[in-house]
PDB file of all heavy atoms in Angstrom:
ATOM      1  N   VAL A   1       6.198 -19.892  28.331  1.00 96.00           N
ATOM      2  CA  VAL A   1       5.558 -20.872  27.451  1.00 96.00           C
ATOM      3  C   VAL A   1       4.041 -20.775  27.591  1.00 96.00           C
ATOM      4  O   VAL A   1       3.516 -20.740  28.705  1.00 96.00           O
ATOM      5  CB  VAL A   1       6.042 -22.295  27.790  1.00 96.00           C
ATOM      6  CG1 VAL A   1       5.288 -23.330  26.960  1.00 96.00           C
ATOM      7  CG2 VAL A   1       7.538 -22.409  27.560  1.00 96.00           C
ATOM      8  N   GLN A   2       3.372 -20.749  26.435  1.00 96.00           N
ATOM      9  CA  GLN A   2       1.921 -20.619  26.390  1.00 96.00           C
ATOM     10  C   GLN A   2       1.314 -21.864  25.729  1.00 96.00           C
ATOM     11  O   GLN A   2       1.872 -22.413  24.776  1.00 96.00           O
ATOM     12  CB  GLN A   2       1.514 -19.382  25.585  1.00 96.00           C
ATOM     13  CG  GLN A   2       2.117 -18.076  26.062  1.00 96.00           C
ATOM     14  CD  GLN A   2       1.566 -17.657  27.390  1.00 96.00           C
ATOM     15  OE1 GLN A   2       0.355 -17.716  27.623  1.00 96.00           O
ATOM     16  NE2 GLN A   2       2.449 -17.232  28.296  1.00 96.00           N
ATOM     17  N   LEU A   3       0.172 -22.281  26.236  1.00 97.00           N
ATOM     18  CA  LEU A   3      -0.610 -23.354  25.625  1.00 97.00           C
ATOM     19  C   LEU A   3      -1.902 -22.721  25.108  1.00 97.00           C
ATOM     20  O   LEU A   3      -2.746 -22.285  25.891  1.00 97.00           O
ATOM     21  CB  LEU A   3      -0.920 -24.449  26.641  1.00 97.00           C
ATOM     22  CG  LEU A   3      -1.630 -25.701  26.095  1.00 97.00           C
ATOM     23  CD1 LEU A   3      -0.747 -26.421  25.085  1.00 97.00           C
ATOM     24  CD2 LEU A   3      -2.025 -26.633  27.229  1.00 97.00           C
ATOM     25  N   LEU A   4      -2.045 -22.658  23.772  1.00 97.00           N
ATOM     26  CA  LEU A   4      -3.117 -21.875  23.161  1.00 97.00           C
ATOM     27  C   LEU A   4      -3.872 -22.696  22.126  1.00 97.00           C
ATOM     28  O   LEU A   4      -3.323 -23.647  21.538  1.00 97.00           O
ATOM     29  CB  LEU A   4      -2.550 -20.620  22.483  1.00 97.00           C
ATOM     30  CG  LEU A   4      -1.704 -19.683  23.350  1.00 97.00           C
ATOM     31  CD1 LEU A   4      -1.036 -18.631  22.488  1.00 97.00           C
ATOM     32  CD2 LEU A   4      -2.568 -19.035  24.421  1.00 97.00           C
ATOM     33  N   HIS A   5      -5.110 -22.292  21.892  1.00 96.00           N
ATOM     34  CA  HIS A   5      -5.909 -22.832  20.793  1.00 96.00           C
ATOM     35  C   HIS A   5      -6.150 -21.705  19.796  1.00 96.00           C
ATOM     36  O   HIS A   5      -6.487 -20.581  20.184  1.00 96.00           O
ATOM     37  CB  HIS A   5      -7.244 -23.375  21.289  1.00 96.00           C
ATOM     38  CG  HIS A   5      -7.118 -24.626  22.089  1.00 96.00           C
ATOM     39  ND1 HIS A   5      -7.049 -24.632  23.457  1.00 96.00           N
ATOM     40  CD2 HIS A   5      -7.036 -25.936  21.711  1.00 96.00           C
ATOM     41  CE1 HIS A   5      -6.936 -25.869  23.904  1.00 96.00           C
ATOM     42  NE2 HIS A   5      -6.934 -26.682  22.862  1.00 96.00           N
ATOM     43  N   ALA A   6      -5.986 -22.024  18.527  1.00 96.00           N
ATOM     44  CA  ALA A   6      -6.197 -21.048  17.465  1.00 96.00           C
ATOM     45  C   ALA A   6      -6.808 -21.766  16.273  1.00 96.00           C
ATOM     46  O   ALA A   6      -6.986 -22.997  16.288  1.00 96.00           O
ATOM     47  CB  ALA A   6      -4.878 -20.375  17.078  1.00 96.00           C
ATOM     48  N   TRP A   7      -7.150 -21.000  15.258  1.00 93.00           N
ATOM     49  CA  TRP A   7      -7.657 -21.600  14.032  1.00 93.00           C
ATOM     50  C   TRP A   7      -7.047 -20.893  12.831  1.00 93.00           C
ATOM     51  O   TRP A   7      -6.692 -19.712  12.886  1.00 93.00           O
ATOM     52  CB  TRP A   7      -9.182 -21.577  13.966  1.00 93.00           C
ATOM     53  CG  TRP A   7      -9.823 -20.231  14.142  1.00 93.00           C
ATOM     54  CD1 TRP A   7     -10.108 -19.604  15.323  1.00 93.00           C
ATOM     55  CD2 TRP A   7     -10.255 -19.334  13.120  1.00 93.00           C
ATOM     56  NE1 TRP A   7     -10.698 -18.386  15.102  1.00 93.00           N
ATOM     57  CE2 TRP A   7     -10.799 -18.194  13.760  1.00 93.00           C
ATOM     58  CE3 TRP A   7     -10.244 -19.381  11.730  1.00 93.00           C
ATOM     59  CZ2 TRP A   7     -11.322 -17.117  13.047  1.00 93.00           C
ATOM     60  CZ3 TRP A   7     -10.771 -18.304  11.021  1.00 93.00           C
ATOM     61  CH2 TRP A   7     -11.306 -17.202  11.669  1.00 93.00           C
ATOM     62  N   ALA A   8      -6.866 -21.658  11.758  1.00 93.00           N
ATOM     63  CA  ALA A   8      -6.177 -21.151  10.570  1.00 93.00           C
ATOM     64  C   ALA A   8      -7.118 -20.299   9.739  1.00 93.00           C
ATOM     65  O   ALA A   8      -8.203 -20.745   9.346  1.00 93.00           O
ATOM     66  CB  ALA A   8      -5.640 -22.307   9.736  1.00 93.00           C
ATOM     67  N   TYR A   9      -6.682 -19.083   9.465  1.00 90.00           N
ATOM     68  CA  TYR A   9      -7.467 -18.183   8.632  1.00 90.00           C
ATOM     69  C   TYR A   9      -6.867 -18.146   7.235  1.00 90.00           C
ATOM     70  O   TYR A   9      -5.666 -17.892   7.064  1.00 90.00           O
ATOM     71  CB  TYR A   9      -7.482 -16.777   9.214  1.00 90.00           C
ATOM     72  CG  TYR A   9      -8.100 -15.744   8.294  1.00 90.00           C
ATOM     73  CD1 TYR A   9      -9.466 -15.761   8.027  1.00 90.00           C
ATOM     74  CD2 TYR A   9      -7.319 -14.780   7.679  1.00 90.00           C
ATOM     75  CE1 TYR A   9     -10.033 -14.832   7.174  1.00 90.00           C
ATOM     76  CE2 TYR A   9      -7.880 -13.846   6.825  1.00 90.00           C
ATOM     77  CZ  TYR A   9      -9.232 -13.871   6.566  1.00 90.00           C
ATOM     78  OH  TYR A   9      -9.789 -12.950   5.713  1.00 90.00           O
ATOM     79  N   VAL A  10      -7.698 -18.410   6.245  1.00 85.00           N
ATOM     80  CA  VAL A  10      -7.288 -18.329   4.840  1.00 85.00           C
ATOM     81  C   VAL A  10      -8.171 -17.298   4.171  1.00 85.00           C
ATOM     82  O   VAL A  10      -9.384 -17.487   4.069  1.00 85.00           O
ATOM     83  CB  VAL A  10      -7.426 -19.696   4.131  1.00 85.00           C
ATOM     84  CG1 VAL A  10      -7.070 -19.562   2.664  1.00 85.00           C
ATOM     85  CG2 VAL A  10      -6.542 -20.735   4.807  1.00 85.00           C
ATOM     86  N   PRO A  11      -7.614 -16.157   3.723  1.00 79.00           N
ATOM     87  CA  PRO A  11      -8.454 -15.119   3.105  1.00 79.00           C
ATOM     88  C   PRO A  11      -9.084 -15.621   1.821  1.00 79.00           C
ATOM     89  O   PRO A  11      -8.504 -16.457   1.117  1.00 79.00           O
ATOM     90  CB  PRO A  11      -7.460 -13.973   2.842  1.00 79.00           C
ATOM     91  CG  PRO A  11      -6.119 -14.623   2.808  1.00 79.00           C
ATOM     92  CD  PRO A  11      -6.195 -15.794   3.754  1.00 79.00           C
ATOM     93  N   PRO A  12     -10.297 -15.150   1.504  1.00 66.00           N
ATOM     94  CA  PRO A  12     -11.002 -15.633   0.309  1.00 66.00           C
ATOM     95  C   PRO A  12     -10.350 -15.209  -0.992  1.00 66.00           C
ATOM     96  O   PRO A  12     -10.587 -15.795  -2.021  1.00 66.00           O
ATOM     97  CB  PRO A  12     -12.396 -15.015   0.450  1.00 66.00           C
ATOM     98  CG  PRO A  12     -12.192 -13.819   1.326  1.00 66.00           C
ATOM     99  CD  PRO A  12     -11.096 -14.184   2.279  1.00 66.00           C
ATOM    100  N   GLY A  13      -9.525 -14.170  -0.970  1.00 56.00           N
ATOM    101  CA  GLY A  13      -8.878 -13.688  -2.190  1.00 56.00           C
ATOM    102  C   GLY A  13      -7.721 -12.792  -1.831  1.00 56.00           C
ATOM    103  O   GLY A  13      -7.339 -12.668  -0.665  1.00 56.00           O
ATOM    104  N   ALA A  14      -7.141 -12.176  -2.846  1.00 48.00           N
ATOM    105  CA  ALA A  14      -6.020 -11.272  -2.598  1.00 48.00           C
ATOM    106  C   ALA A  14      -6.487 -10.088  -1.779  1.00 48.00           C
ATOM    107  O   ALA A  14      -7.557  -9.519  -2.021  1.00 48.00           O
ATOM    108  CB  ALA A  14      -5.431 -10.794  -3.929  1.00 48.00           C
ATOM    109  N   ALA A  15      -5.692  -9.705  -0.809  1.00 45.00           N
ATOM    110  CA  ALA A  15      -6.056  -8.594   0.062  1.00 45.00           C
ATOM    111  C   ALA A  15      -6.050  -7.285  -0.711  1.00 45.00           C
ATOM    112  O   ALA A  15      -5.102  -6.960  -1.412  1.00 45.00           O
ATOM    113  CB  ALA A  15      -5.078  -8.518   1.235  1.00 45.00           C
ATOM    114  N   PHE A  16      -7.124  -6.533  -0.601  1.00 42.00           N
ATOM    115  CA  PHE A  16      -7.221  -5.231  -1.270  1.00 42.00           C
ATOM    116  C   PHE A  16      -6.509  -4.181  -0.426  1.00 42.00           C
ATOM    117  O   PHE A  16      -6.628  -4.153   0.786  1.00 42.00           O
ATOM    118  CB  PHE A  16      -8.688  -4.839  -1.445  1.00 42.00           C
ATOM    119  CG  PHE A  16      -8.874  -3.439  -1.970  1.00 42.00           C
ATOM    120  CD1 PHE A  16      -8.678  -3.171  -3.304  1.00 42.00           C
ATOM    121  CD2 PHE A  16      -9.218  -2.412  -1.120  1.00 42.00           C
ATOM    122  CE1 PHE A  16      -8.846  -1.880  -3.793  1.00 42.00           C
ATOM    123  CE2 PHE A  16      -9.393  -1.122  -1.596  1.00 42.00           C
ATOM    124  CZ  PHE A  16      -9.199  -0.867  -2.933  1.00 42.00           C
ATOM    125  N   ARG A  17      -5.740  -3.346  -1.068  1.00 43.00           N
ATOM    126  CA  ARG A  17      -5.079  -2.271  -0.345  1.00 43.00           C
ATOM    127  C   ARG A  17      -5.044  -1.031  -1.223  1.00 43.00           C
ATOM    128  O   ARG A  17      -4.934  -1.109  -2.450  1.00 43.00           O
ATOM    129  CB  ARG A  17      -3.673  -2.668   0.090  1.00 43.00           C
ATOM    130  CG  ARG A  17      -2.697  -2.943  -1.056  1.00 43.00           C
ATOM    131  CD  ARG A  17      -1.354  -3.444  -0.498  1.00 43.00           C
ATOM    132  NE  ARG A  17      -0.323  -3.522  -1.515  1.00 43.00           N
ATOM    133  CZ  ARG A  17      -0.152  -4.554  -2.323  1.00 43.00           C
ATOM    134  NH1 ARG A  17      -0.955  -5.592  -2.230  1.00 43.00           N
ATOM    135  NH2 ARG A  17       0.807  -4.563  -3.221  1.00 43.00           N
ATOM    136  N   LEU A  18      -5.101   0.135  -0.605  1.00 41.00           N
ATOM    137  CA  LEU A  18      -5.088   1.391  -1.333  1.00 41.00           C
ATOM    138  C   LEU A  18      -3.684   1.756  -1.787  1.00 41.00           C
ATOM    139  O   LEU A  18      -3.502   2.432  -2.790  1.00 41.00           O
ATOM    140  CB  LEU A  18      -5.653   2.508  -0.449  1.00 41.00           C
ATOM    141  CG  LEU A  18      -7.115   2.334  -0.035  1.00 41.00           C
ATOM    142  CD1 LEU A  18      -7.514   3.466   0.910  1.00 41.00           C
ATOM    143  CD2 LEU A  18      -8.019   2.309  -1.243  1.00 41.00           C
ATOM    144  N   ARG A  19      -2.672   1.316  -1.053  1.00 46.00           N
ATOM    145  CA  ARG A  19      -1.293   1.662  -1.372  1.00 46.00           C
ATOM    146  C   ARG A  19      -0.391   0.605  -0.749  1.00 46.00           C
ATOM    147  O   ARG A  19      -0.789  -0.108   0.149  1.00 46.00           O
ATOM    148  CB  ARG A  19      -0.943   3.040  -0.805  1.00 46.00           C
ATOM    149  CG  ARG A  19      -1.054   3.096   0.704  1.00 46.00           C
ATOM    150  CD  ARG A  19      -0.876   4.502   1.242  1.00 46.00           C
ATOM    151  NE  ARG A  19      -0.915   4.516   2.696  1.00 46.00           N
ATOM    152  CZ  ARG A  19      -2.011   4.480   3.424  1.00 46.00           C
ATOM    153  NH1 ARG A  19      -3.188   4.420   2.834  1.00 46.00           N
ATOM    154  NH2 ARG A  19      -1.967   4.486   4.742  1.00 46.00           N
ATOM    155  N   ASP A  20       0.833   0.551  -1.242  1.00 50.00           N
ATOM    156  CA  ASP A  20       1.807  -0.339  -0.632  1.00 50.00           C
ATOM    157  C   ASP A  20       2.221   0.204   0.730  1.00 50.00           C
ATOM    158  O   ASP A  20       2.274   1.418   0.947  1.00 50.00           O
ATOM    159  CB  ASP A  20       3.049  -0.475  -1.522  1.00 50.00           C
ATOM    160  CG  ASP A  20       2.754  -1.270  -2.783  1.00 50.00           C
ATOM    161  OD1 ASP A  20       1.886  -2.160  -2.723  1.00 50.00           O
ATOM    162  OD2 ASP A  20       3.364  -0.983  -3.825  1.00 50.00           O
ATOM    163  N   ASP A  21       2.533  -0.699   1.653  1.00 55.00           N
ATOM    164  CA  ASP A  21       3.011  -0.265   2.956  1.00 55.00           C
ATOM    165  C   ASP A  21       4.370   0.395   2.803  1.00 55.00           C
ATOM    166  O   ASP A  21       5.271  -0.171   2.160  1.00 55.00           O
ATOM    167  CB  ASP A  21       3.118  -1.452   3.905  1.00 55.00           C
ATOM    168  CG  ASP A  21       1.764  -2.069   4.190  1.00 55.00           C
ATOM    169  OD1 ASP A  21       0.792  -1.301   4.266  1.00 55.00           O
ATOM    170  OD2 ASP A  21       1.678  -3.301   4.307  1.00 55.00           O
ATOM    171  N   PRO A  22       4.563   1.574   3.364  1.00 54.00           N
ATOM    172  CA  PRO A  22       5.858   2.238   3.248  1.00 54.00           C
ATOM    173  C   PRO A  22       6.919   1.486   4.023  1.00 54.00           C
ATOM    174  O   PRO A  22       6.622   0.804   5.007  1.00 54.00           O
ATOM    175  CB  PRO A  22       5.590   3.623   3.873  1.00 54.00           C
ATOM    176  CG  PRO A  22       4.455   3.404   4.808  1.00 54.00           C
ATOM    177  CD  PRO A  22       3.602   2.349   4.166  1.00 54.00           C
ATOM    178  N   PRO A  23       8.178   1.568   3.581  1.00 54.00           N
ATOM    179  CA  PRO A  23       9.252   0.898   4.319  1.00 54.00           C
ATOM    180  C   PRO A  23       9.296   1.390   5.764  1.00 54.00           C
ATOM    181  O   PRO A  23       9.200   2.576   6.034  1.00 54.00           O
ATOM    182  CB  PRO A  23      10.517   1.315   3.547  1.00 54.00           C
ATOM    183  CG  PRO A  23      10.022   1.711   2.186  1.00 54.00           C
ATOM    184  CD  PRO A  23       8.659   2.275   2.395  1.00 54.00           C
ATOM    185  N   ASP A  24       9.459   0.450   6.676  1.00 60.00           N
ATOM    186  CA  ASP A  24       9.468   0.795   8.094  1.00 60.00           C
ATOM    187  C   ASP A  24      10.308  -0.234   8.832  1.00 60.00           C
ATOM    188  O   ASP A  24       9.989  -1.411   8.835  1.00 60.00           O
ATOM    189  CB  ASP A  24       8.032   0.826   8.637  1.00 60.00           C
ATOM    190  CG  ASP A  24       7.981   1.303  10.084  1.00 60.00           C
ATOM    191  OD1 ASP A  24       9.040   1.620  10.634  1.00 60.00           O
ATOM    192  OD2 ASP A  24       6.873   1.331  10.643  1.00 60.00           O
ATOM    193  N   ASP A  25      11.384   0.235   9.454  1.00 64.00           N
ATOM    194  CA  ASP A  25      12.260  -0.664  10.180  1.00 64.00           C
ATOM    195  C   ASP A  25      11.923  -0.724  11.660  1.00 64.00           C
ATOM    196  O   ASP A  25      12.539  -1.467  12.413  1.00 64.00           O
ATOM    197  CB  ASP A  25      13.726  -0.227  10.008  1.00 64.00           C
ATOM    198  CG  ASP A  25      14.186  -0.351   8.560  1.00 64.00           C
ATOM    199  OD1 ASP A  25      13.687  -1.258   7.870  1.00 64.00           O
ATOM    200  OD2 ASP A  25      15.025   0.468   8.131  1.00 64.00           O
ATOM    201  N   GLY A  26      10.952   0.085  12.086  1.00 82.00           N
ATOM    202  CA  GLY A  26      10.608   0.103  13.490  1.00 82.00           C
ATOM    203  C   GLY A  26       9.556  -0.928  13.836  1.00 82.00           C
ATOM    204  O   GLY A  26       8.823  -1.418  12.978  1.00 82.00           O
ATOM    205  N   TRP A  27       9.500  -1.277  15.116  1.00 90.00           N
ATOM    206  CA  TRP A  27       8.522  -2.222  15.636  1.00 90.00           C
ATOM    207  C   TRP A  27       7.860  -1.615  16.862  1.00 90.00           C
ATOM    208  O   TRP A  27       8.533  -0.936  17.632  1.00 90.00           O
ATOM    209  CB  TRP A  27       9.186  -3.548  15.995  1.00 90.00           C
ATOM    210  CG  TRP A  27       9.854  -4.214  14.834  1.00 90.00           C
ATOM    211  CD1 TRP A  27      11.165  -4.100  14.478  1.00 90.00           C
ATOM    212  CD2 TRP A  27       9.260  -5.094  13.875  1.00 90.00           C
ATOM    213  NE1 TRP A  27      11.435  -4.847  13.360  1.00 90.00           N
ATOM    214  CE2 TRP A  27      10.274  -5.467  12.970  1.00 90.00           C
ATOM    215  CE3 TRP A  27       7.960  -5.595  13.689  1.00 90.00           C
ATOM    216  CZ2 TRP A  27      10.045  -6.325  11.902  1.00 90.00           C
ATOM    217  CZ3 TRP A  27       7.738  -6.450  12.627  1.00 90.00           C
ATOM    218  CH2 TRP A  27       8.765  -6.804  11.743  1.00 90.00           C
ATOM    219  N   PRO A  28       6.583  -1.854  17.092  1.00 93.00           N
ATOM    220  CA  PRO A  28       5.645  -2.596  16.224  1.00 93.00           C
ATOM    221  C   PRO A  28       5.408  -1.867  14.914  1.00 93.00           C
ATOM    222  O   PRO A  28       5.476  -0.643  14.861  1.00 93.00           O
ATOM    223  CB  PRO A  28       4.375  -2.675  17.067  1.00 93.00           C
ATOM    224  CG  PRO A  28       4.456  -1.535  18.007  1.00 93.00           C
ATOM    225  CD  PRO A  28       5.913  -1.335  18.302  1.00 93.00           C
ATOM    226  N   ARG A  29       5.114  -2.625  13.882  1.00 93.00           N
ATOM    227  CA  ARG A  29       5.012  -2.090  12.524  1.00 93.00           C
ATOM    228  C   ARG A  29       3.544  -1.989  12.110  1.00 93.00           C
ATOM    229  O   ARG A  29       2.788  -2.962  12.229  1.00 93.00           O
ATOM    230  CB  ARG A  29       5.772  -2.982  11.553  1.00 93.00           C
ATOM    231  CG  ARG A  29       5.750  -2.518  10.111  1.00 93.00           C
ATOM    232  CD  ARG A  29       6.724  -3.328   9.289  1.00 93.00           C
ATOM    233  NE  ARG A  29       8.093  -3.145   9.794  1.00 93.00           N
ATOM    234  CZ  ARG A  29       9.128  -3.882   9.379  1.00 93.00           C
ATOM    235  NH1 ARG A  29       8.939  -4.852   8.502  1.00 93.00           N
ATOM    236  NH2 ARG A  29      10.327  -3.650   9.868  1.00 93.00           N
ATOM    237  N   LEU A  30       3.156  -0.818  11.629  1.00 94.00           N
ATOM    238  CA  LEU A  30       1.795  -0.597  11.146  1.00 94.00           C
ATOM    239  C   LEU A  30       1.706  -1.017   9.685  1.00 94.00           C
ATOM    240  O   LEU A  30       2.470  -0.529   8.843  1.00 94.00           O
ATOM    241  CB  LEU A  30       1.414   0.873  11.301  1.00 94.00           C
ATOM    242  CG  LEU A  30      -0.036   1.251  10.988  1.00 94.00           C
ATOM    243  CD1 LEU A  30      -0.976   0.622  11.998  1.00 94.00           C
ATOM    244  CD2 LEU A  30      -0.203   2.772  10.976  1.00 94.00           C
ATOM    245  N   VAL A  31       0.784  -1.935   9.357  1.00 94.00           N
ATOM    246  CA  VAL A  31       0.647  -2.458   7.998  1.00 94.00           C
ATOM    247  C   VAL A  31      -0.819  -2.387   7.578  1.00 94.00           C
ATOM    248  O   VAL A  31      -1.718  -2.280   8.412  1.00 94.00           O
ATOM    249  CB  VAL A  31       1.160  -3.914   7.888  1.00 94.00           C
ATOM    250  CG1 VAL A  31       2.642  -3.993   8.222  1.00 94.00           C
ATOM    251  CG2 VAL A  31       0.358  -4.840   8.797  1.00 94.00           C
ATOM    252  N   THR A  32      -1.046  -2.445   6.289  1.00 93.00           N
ATOM    253  CA  THR A  32      -2.407  -2.454   5.761  1.00 93.00           C
ATOM    254  C   THR A  32      -2.786  -3.805   5.160  1.00 93.00           C
ATOM    255  O   THR A  32      -3.889  -3.973   4.669  1.00 93.00           O
ATOM    256  CB  THR A  32      -2.588  -1.362   4.690  1.00 93.00           C
ATOM    257  OG1 THR A  32      -1.615  -1.555   3.645  1.00 93.00           O
ATOM    258  CG2 THR A  32      -2.388   0.024   5.296  1.00 93.00           C
ATOM    259  N   ARG A  33      -1.865  -4.743   5.175  1.00 90.00           N
ATOM    260  CA  ARG A  33      -2.147  -6.108   4.716  1.00 90.00           C
ATOM    261  C   ARG A  33      -1.208  -7.063   5.433  1.00 90.00           C
ATOM    262  O   ARG A  33      -0.160  -6.659   5.957  1.00 90.00           O
ATOM    263  CB  ARG A  33      -1.989  -6.248   3.199  1.00 90.00           C
ATOM    264  CG  ARG A  33      -0.566  -6.061   2.708  1.00 90.00           C
ATOM    265  CD  ARG A  33      -0.479  -6.042   1.202  1.00 90.00           C
ATOM    266  NE  ARG A  33       0.893  -5.867   0.753  1.00 90.00           N
ATOM    267  CZ  ARG A  33       1.686  -6.848   0.333  1.00 90.00           C
ATOM    268  NH1 ARG A  33       1.218  -8.090   0.323  1.00 90.00           N
ATOM    269  NH2 ARG A  33       2.918  -6.612  -0.067  1.00 90.00           N
ATOM    270  N   VAL A  34      -1.564  -8.332   5.432  1.00 89.00           N
ATOM    271  CA  VAL A  34      -0.756  -9.351   6.098  1.00 89.00           C
ATOM    272  C   VAL A  34       0.007 -10.142   5.041  1.00 89.00           C
ATOM    273  O   VAL A  34      -0.592 -10.776   4.177  1.00 89.00           O
ATOM    274  CB  VAL A  34      -1.640 -10.296   6.938  1.00 89.00           C
ATOM    275  CG1 VAL A  34      -0.782 -11.384   7.575  1.00 89.00           C
ATOM    276  CG2 VAL A  34      -2.379  -9.511   8.014  1.00 89.00           C
ATOM    277  N   ASP A  35       1.338 -10.089   5.117  1.00 91.00           N
ATOM    278  CA  ASP A  35       2.201 -10.847   4.212  1.00 91.00           C
ATOM    279  C   ASP A  35       3.069 -11.759   5.074  1.00 91.00           C
ATOM    280  O   ASP A  35       4.178 -11.395   5.478  1.00 91.00           O
ATOM    281  CB  ASP A  35       3.055  -9.889   3.377  1.00 91.00           C
ATOM    282  CG  ASP A  35       3.952 -10.616   2.372  1.00 91.00           C
ATOM    283  OD1 ASP A  35       3.820 -11.857   2.250  1.00 91.00           O
ATOM    284  OD2 ASP A  35       4.789  -9.958   1.730  1.00 91.00           O
TER     285      ASP A  35
END
C-alpha cells in the first residue's frame, strides 16, 4: 500500500500522433498516446 500525492493532468487538445499504435498484447506496452 502506497500513500501518494499526484495532480490531474488534462491535455490542452487531442493528442497528435504520426500513426495508430500497433496491436500489442505484451506488457509493458509501448504507446505513442495515452488512452
Side-chain angles (χ1 to χ4, degrees):
V1 175
Q2 304 291 315
L3 185 63
L4 305 171
H5 290 95
W7 54 277
Y9 171 69
V10 177
F16 173 77
R17 64 185 189 275
L18 297 176
R19 61 187 183 280
D20 289 329
D21 296 324
D24 185 1
D25 295 328
W27 300 94
R29 181 170 299 170
L30 187 66
V31 298
T32 57
R33 66 187 180 100
V34 178
D35 182 6

